[in-house]
Amino acid sequence: MTDAVLTTRDGDIVTWTLNRPEARNPISEPDVIEALEDAVADVNGDPSVRVAIVTGAGSAFSSGGNVKHMRDRAGMFGGSPADLRQGYRHGIQRIPLALYHCEVPTIAAVNGPAIGAGCDLSLMCDMRIASTAAVFAESFVKVGLVPGDGGAWFLPQAVGMARASEMAFTGDAIDAAKALEWGLVSQVTEPGELLGAARALADRVAVNPPQVLRMTKKLLREGRHQSLESLLELSAAMQSLAHHTADHHEAVGAMLDRRSPNFTGR
């Protein structure tokens, strides 16, 4: 067996590649779930990492759940209703929790079809770039299921409730051009240029102070559910820490000196 998720590193940027191309990169298998959890844990524990890119091997980004296992009621899709509930809670739902708590900015480089839970996986990332070969489908209704991995939470935040409802109620796919129009992705590239575009975006992010990047991501996450008053309190606390970092003083000095800053993460 090959690694379920390949991790490569180039400088301060890591890339996680779903590595089951023969099955179109399903993410409901235990080894994939564990690999993504471990990859996030490694990044959270390594302050030298500044950005993570998620992509798929082969022609698909991710087909989501393993439909053959659904048919056979195998793995997390087997057992009683109580067993299935636990299968989701202790199985695929670990992925959105892991990615939500990933401390560094994440980019989905969607190289091909992102279907069902695969569509939701792209939505779990902070930023999304698609190749012209990508399609997105919140297609759970097509197999008689509901979004079981958090898609009902992620999708409306990306495209608004009306468009999320259209995608979820019809299960129809949208192409990369429509995804760009709807704001689901921020860029569309030719297939051969996708990873280069993702890397260019990652470089634009990674050039900034790493501690501040992690704190900024935390504030954006907290802003989804906290009151303005609570978020302002948290922002003030984090800002007081940021003011005392060496990178803040370096940034101000470089701006006044009209030179490029050199951030060290301190």
Side-chain angles (χ1 to χ4, degrees):
M1 290 287 288
T2 57
D3 292 339
V5 177
L6 297 176
T7 297
T8 56
R9 179 164 181 171
D10 185 3
D12 43 26
I13 297 167
V14 298
T15 299
W16 301 325
T17 303
L18 303 175
N19 193 35
R20 293 285 186 267
E22 72 286 350
R24 298 170 64 82
N25 300 321
I27 59 171
S28 56
E29 309 302 316
D31 58 345
V32 178
I33 296 165
E34 291 170 9
L36 286 171
E37 276 190 324
D38 290 345
V40 171
D42 288 345
V43 162
N44 287 351
D46 185 350
S48 68
V49 177
R50 302 191 185 188
V51 185
I53 298 170
V54 182
T55 194
S59 61
F61 178 72
S62 174
S63 60
N66 189 317
V67 178
K68 291 182 180 178
H69 285 185
M70 294 179 195
R71 178 198 63 195
D72 300 336
R73 298 191 175 183
M76 65 171 285
F77 303 116
S80 68
D83 293 332
L84 278 159
R85 177 173 176 265
Q86 291 296 92
Y88 273 85
R89 292 179 64 239
H90 298 290
I92 198 169
Q93 289 184 355
R94 289 155 52 193
I95 296 176
L97 291 172
L99 285 173
Y100 185 81
H101 293 291
C102 182
E103 294 178 7
V104 303
T106 52
I107 301 169
V110 185
N111 52 298
I115 308 301
C119 178
D120 294 342
L121 177 65
S122 73
L123 296 167
M124 295 169 201
C125 297
D126 302 307
M127 298 161 278
R128 288 165 294 282
I129 296 178
S131 87
T132 54
V135 295
F136 299 83
E138 190 74 357
S139 56
F140 297 93
V141 293
K142 296 293 190 183
V143 290
L145 295 174
V146 301
D149 61 338
W153 191 85
F154 289 104
L155 185 57
Q157 298 195 47
V159 299
M161 185 58 75
R163 285 169 171 164
S165 297
E166 180 178 334
M167 290 182 69
F169 293 155
T170 66
D172 293 342
I174 63 172
D175 62 15
K178 181 67 72 175
L180 180 63
E181 177 188 340
W182 284 9
L184 197 154
V185 302
S186 59
Q187 295 181 49
V188 175
T189 74
E190 292 301 317
E193 300 171 358
L194 176 66
L195 288 180
R199 175 62 197 232
L201 176 57
D203 285 339
R204 287 166 52 206
V205 174
V207 74
N208 293 302
Q211 290 189 64
V212 171
L213 283 175
R214 294 188 183 215
M215 287 192 287
T216 300
K217 175 166 179 173
K218 179 67 172 177
L219 287 176
L220 289 171
R221 287 282 194 256
E222 291 297 318
R224 291 181 174 184
H225 58 83
Q226 288 203 23
S227 67
L228 175 59
E229 290 81 3
S230 296
L231 188 70
L232 287 172
E233 287 292 337
L234 182 59
S235 301
M238 288 192 173
Q239 195 74 301
S240 68
L241 296 174
H243 271 285
H244 280 268
T245 61
D247 280 346
H248 165 63
H249 295 288
E250 168 66 8
V252 172
M255 185 174 293
L256 294 175
D257 295 342
R258 298 185 180 181
R259 61 176 173 80
S260 297
N262 178 30
F263 297 125
T264 62
R266 293 194 287 272

